[in-house]
Amino acid sequence: MEVGAVGAMRFVKDGIRAAKLVMQHTQHTMLVGDQASAFAISMGLPGPSNLSSPESMDKWIKWKENHCQPNFRKNVLPSDSCGPYQYHIKDSIDYDKTCSVNNLMQTYGSVTSHVDRHNHDTISMAVFDRMGHIAVGTSTNGACFKIPGRVGDGPIAGSSAYADNEVGACGATGDGDIMMRFLPCYQVVESMRLGMEPRLAAKDAISRIARKFPDFVGAVFAVNKNGKHAGACYGWTFQYSVKSPQMKDVQVFTIVP
């Protein structure tokens, strides 16, 4: 239950080290924005730095030339430009009734995920030491073309990663805006606590999301305290890697939807 996290942090490259500093040297759990950057730099991390690359600048320029499409805005006008945007709700939608299951499914089912294997870079990892202690970590640049200020599932304990020495660990990747609503890694670890095998625990967590959001893309890996591991995915083919002292090299496992 020791947790450190940073979100919406700019100008500092090493998010994982910054998060670890929050865990080790503060009584807080999460720092965000420019103050997270200032904290990380004050604790000795390099910065402020320009983290843009020629590739990222080229991608941004082409996105602007394409009228800032795709983007993550909804119920705004204009819908096909870079704004400025104005609040708008379609006359055909009765928002007093959107809490019904049918209306929710109609709304969510029509949303196509902006996440695929070509535009995300989440890395989630679980490590066991010789004493059986487990640590997990997640690092990401976030969703491509996200709205400034967006924080995804990366720093949310129980969403992108979770661990308990008594049970095991989980890591996740994919459409964080959807997955964070379900805390899938917390669900995986708690399912394993109740006796579920890693394969079934991972599949169950992904299925819970898919039932509500049939267009989402994501995956989880699960590993119990004895080292038994598995993965589950939806919307893409997922790969995770494993390395142990008994193995000569890293082994890559491929999981199909």
Side-chain angles (χ1 to χ4, degrees), residues 137-213:
T138 301
S139 179
T140 181
N141 278 324
C144 195
F145 311 129
K146 60 184 175 288
I147 298 171
R150 180 260 190 186
V151 176
D153 67 328
I156 308 301
S159 185
S160 67
Y162 197 72
D164 189 318
N165 289 349
E166 298 176 353
V167 183
C170 168
T173 183
D175 190 341
D177 287 294
I178 299 300
M179 298 180 76
M180 68 193 299
R181 305 174 191 186
F182 293 81
L183 295 179
C185 278
Y186 178 79
Q187 181 66 55
V188 166
V189 172
E190 290 307 300
S191 292
M192 292 194 297
R193 189 191 306 277
L194 296 175
M196 196 176 289
E197 291 292 312
R199 181 182 66 85
L200 295 178
K203 185 177 180 179
D204 174 69
I206 289 294
S207 296
R208 290 169 184 255
I209 307 173
R211 284 196 295 269
K212 298 290 186 181
F213 294 90

